[in-house]
Amino acid sequence: MADPGCLAEAEAAGTCPALVLGLNPTLGWRERLRARLAGTGASLWFVAGLGLLYALRIPLRLCENLAAGTSSLISGLIFIFEWWYFHKHGTSFIEQVSVSHLRPLMGGTEHSISEPGSPSRNRENETSRQNLSECKVWRNPLNLFRGAEYRRYTWVTGKEPLTYYDMNLSAQDHQTFFTCDTDFLRPSDTVMQKAWRERNPPARIKAAYQALELNNNCATAYVLLAEEEATTIVDAERLFKQALKAGETIYRQSQQCQHQSPQHEAQLRRDTNVLVYIKRRLAMCARKLGRIREAVKVMRDLMKEFPPLTVLNIHENLLESLLELQAYADVQAVLAKYDDISLPKSAAICYTAALLKTRTVSDKFSPETASKRGLSTAEINAVEAIHRAVEFNPHVPKYLLEMKSLILPPEHILKRGDSEAIAYAFSHLQHWKRIEGALNLLQCTWEGTFHHVSVYPKKELPLFIHFTAGFCSSTAVIAVLTHQLPEIMGILLKLIWAEGAYS
């Protein structure tokens, strides 16, 4: 005989119901039967389910569908594991395996950075392409000047044009570009290292002036003032020219000492980044001030002297300037070099390629005529180029067709996302408008092919999948109800049996 105190305690706690019910002689046969049915309810339902599957094996063709569903089961297990791994580690397991294990087997390696023109510099270029292909968020190659352009929006509207997240990414970029471990050797660089970390723009500007008091040739201080204090493009260009003069002097000094230690090599990398950044921004100033040919020359020289993909994709700045000059043959030459399968794609590359193909046929294109006689070879090529561009970034057409309002582009973009579409359309809409009929062909192609098509089209599932999902779900619900509400489920089961016997 069990201890009555133990039984009362177990009954009150809701634990060991089988032990209590099994040893309590005062229960009637109905209560004991109901308790046993409640305890074995899940097993009964499982057996009933197996019997139902056996009875329906021929109508549902289970044997045939079982073989066909094996791959779906494996795919589902892989999906569940990938989802769990991503939520736990914040990255894709398949991507990690590809980058860490498969890429070295396919020839991907890492190399250190050395002086321009050397063999290791070429290897660095290849490595940088691999690293760039893994980026999720990219710097906008055509980002505006904070003081001369973004601040004007704040003056007019009283609102900030950049998000805190965007500005935080820029702060990280500035620290990566303009600082290194040897900053403590130069007091002005030490001050600027703190300046790039300041969140308040007046504090950054004040620190830049302090750095110039310590060293009148502090290139990064001029860069900060040109970006944030200058209120016009003319003022920004003047400050960038001062930065260029100081940056070239520091760069030559770093070149002479680069082989003395790893610290000097890091300093050369930093001074190289500063010099390239200054020249690129000077080219953008010239572009905005109407000196487009000068801007093109500076960009071409940069692409020859330094790796083309390490700093803000200078070739995209070049594409935009060449389009402004309507030098379409030169645009095609740049695309032939950078629109390659081994290089990362962008909306600028894909849509510029589509624009060049569209330009040859858009002025004479008519949907009614094309539907009657069919598309010519050139029109087919143009339509395919538009398809390729829209498949890369489906957000762009709404901005080019002005179905969505343009806003100021951010400093960072998400590839294939809405932010990239805004950045591209903000700079390239005028080039599409300049070519007669280009937007018309884009609209016809986009609306006819993509406008009413979901990005994730629904697929019709076979009956077996629906039945299996419903059966498993209902079984799980019945099992949970039987465990949580044994008495009610027992009574319900008794009623079902009684109805079956009566009928």
Side-chain angles (χ1 to χ4, degrees):
M1 180 69 68
D3 187 2
C6 176
L7 295 180
E9 181 180 349
E11 185 176 3
T15 58
C16 303
L19 176 63
V20 176
L21 295 173
L23 296 178
N24 193 341
T26 61
L27 295 175
W29 67 271
R30 292 188 177 182
E31 288 76 5
R32 282 180 288 176
L33 179 60
R34 182 184 303 170
R36 293 184 182 277
L37 289 176
T40 60
S43 301
L44 290 175
W45 283 112
F46 179 73
V47 173
L50 290 180
L52 182 62
L53 284 177
Y54 180 78
L56 298 176
R57 67 187 189 281
I58 296 177
L60 293 178
R61 296 183 296 179
L62 292 181
C63 296
E64 300 177 9
N65 289 323
L66 183 60
T70 304
S71 60
S72 300
L73 175 62
I74 297 176
S75 300
L77 294 176
I78 294 175
F79 173 77
I80 293 173
F81 176 77
E82 178 76 5
W83 175 85
W84 169 82
Y85 189 90
F86 180 83
H87 277 266
K88 183 175 182 180
H89 300 282
T91 185
S92 168
F93 174 78
I94 298 176
E95 181 180 1
Q96 288 292 105
V97 172
S98 301
V99 172
S100 304
H101 302 287
L102 298 183
R103 174 164 291 178
L105 297 178
M106 299 174 65
T109 56
E110 294 184 359
H111 301 278
S112 60
I113 301 176
S114 63
E115 60 181 338
S118 64
S120 59
R121 171 65 70 171
N122 296 330
R123 292 194 299 268
E124 175 213 349
N125 183 22
E126 180 181 353
T127 303
S128 65
R129 292 179 182 180
Q130 296 173 355
N131 293 335
L132 283 172
S133 64
E134 301 164 10
C135 289
K136 304 299 185 298
V137 179
W138 295 61
R139 293 176 293 273
N140 179 11
L142 296 169
N143 66 306
L144 306 180
F145 292 86
R146 282 191 180 180
E149 294 176 306
Y150 284 123
R151 189 176 297 176
R152 290 183 178 276
Y153 178 84
T154 305
W155 292 341
V156 175
T157 65
K159 300 178 181 179
E160 291 295 333
L162 299 174
T163 64
Y164 174 79
Y165 174 71
D166 199 6
M167 298 181 69
N168 185 49
L169 291 177
S170 296
Q172 297 177 19
D173 291 340
H174 296 155
Q175 294 177 51
T176 302
F177 281 159
F178 306 138
T179 64
C180 68
D181 296 336
T182 61
D183 284 342
F184 66 91
L185 299 176
R186 296 188 290 208
S188 59
D189 290 340
T190 303
V191 174
M192 288 306 301
Q193 191 175 53
K194 297 178 180 178
W196 296 120
R197 296 173 181 170
E198 288 285 348
R199 294 185 178 181
N200 190 15
R204 289 197 295 268
I205 294 173
K206 181 180 179 180
Y209 279 113
Q210 293 175 354
L212 288 176
E213 291 177 359
L214 297 172
N215 179 13
N216 192 39
N217 288 325
C218 183
T220 54
Y222 287 115
V223 169
L224 191 150
L225 294 177
E227 289 285 355
E228 302 200 24
E229 188 188 42
T231 57
T232 64
I233 300 297
V234 175
D235 292 338
E237 185 181 38
R238 175 180 54 81
L239 289 169
F240 272 121
K241 287 182 177 179
Q242 292 179 275
L244 178 62
K245 183 178 179 181
E248 288 178 336
T249 302
I250 299 172
Y251 176 72
R252 286 192 294 267
Q253 295 174 355
S254 298
Q255 275 187 314
Q256 297 174 358
C257 305
Q258 63 174 312
H259 299 298
Q260 294 182 6
S261 66
Q263 289 76 16
H264 285 88
E265 292 181 1
Q267 187 171 331
L268 175 63
R269 286 197 296 270
R270 189 274 307 275
D271 294 336
T272 301
N273 289 336
V274 172
L275 184 62
V276 174
Y277 186 90
I278 293 171
K279 289 186 175 182
R280 173 184 163 273
R281 290 305 252 178
L282 276 173
M284 295 183 67
C285 288
R287 162 69 180 91
K288 292 176 182 293
L289 294 174
R291 306 194 306 272
I292 305 174
R293 296 188 183 278
E294 176 186 340
V296 169
K297 183 181 184 305
V298 174
M299 293 173 190
R300 288 190 185 277
D301 292 342
L302 273 176
M303 294 169 63
K304 291 179 181 178
E305 186 178 1
F306 299 98
L309 292 178
T310 53
V311 180
L312 290 176
N313 292 334
I314 302 174
H315 62 282
E316 295 194 15
N317 297 91
L318 179 61
L319 284 174
E320 197 279 327
S321 297
L322 291 174
L323 286 172
E324 182 64 22
L325 290 175
Q326 301 183 42
Y328 298 113
D330 293 336
V331 173
Q332 183 60 55
V334 175
L335 285 177
K337 183 176 181 181
Y338 292 100
D339 191 5
D340 186 80
I341 192 173
S342 63
L343 300 179
K345 295 292 183 292
S346 67
I349 289 179
C350 294
Y351 278 89
T352 301
L355 179 62
L356 292 187
K357 295 289 182 63
T358 301
R359 172 178 168 269
T360 60
V361 298
S362 59
D363 57 337
K364 300 178 181 179
F365 177 79
S366 172
E368 294 79 10
T369 305
S371 61
K372 294 178 181 179
R373 62 170 172 80
L375 296 176
S376 64
T377 302
E379 290 173 340
I380 291 176
N381 292 335
V383 170
E384 289 178 350
I386 294 176
H387 281 192
R388 175 191 179 215
V390 177
E391 285 173 356
F392 179 83
N393 192 324
H395 304 279
V396 173
K398 287 189 176 181
Y399 290 102
L400 291 180
L401 298 173
E402 299 183 85
M403 301 172 64
K404 296 180 69 174
S405 300
L406 275 177
I407 60 175
L408 291 181
E411 292 184 335
H412 291 80
I413 58 176
L414 179 66
K415 279 294 185 70
R416 312 185 80 166
D418 192 69
S419 56
E420 185 190 28
I422 293 172
Y424 171 79
F426 187 87
S427 301
H428 287 261
L429 176 58
Q430 56 182 334
H431 306 313
W432 281 83
K433 286 184 174 180
R434 183 181 295 121
I435 298 176
E436 182 182 356
L439 291 176
N440 178 42
L441 180 55
L442 172 66
Q443 183 175 8
C444 294
T445 305
W446 175 66
E447 288 184 347
T449 308
F450 296 95
H451 187 54
H452 300 291
V453 179
S454 173
V455 177
Y456 301 101
K458 295 182 179 180
K459 295 182 178 180
E460 294 295 332
L461 295 177
L463 176 62
F464 172 73
I465 299 298
H466 289 288
F467 173 79
T468 304
F471 176 76
C472 293
S473 301
S474 60
T475 302
V477 170
I478 293 173
V480 171
L481 291 176
T482 303
H483 179 73
Q484 297 293 332
L485 306 170
E487 295 184 358
I488 297 177
M489 292 301 294
I491 296 174
L492 180 62
L493 181 62
K494 181 179 179 181
L495 292 175
I496 294 174
W497 282 350
E499 287 292 336
Y502 177 77
S503 59

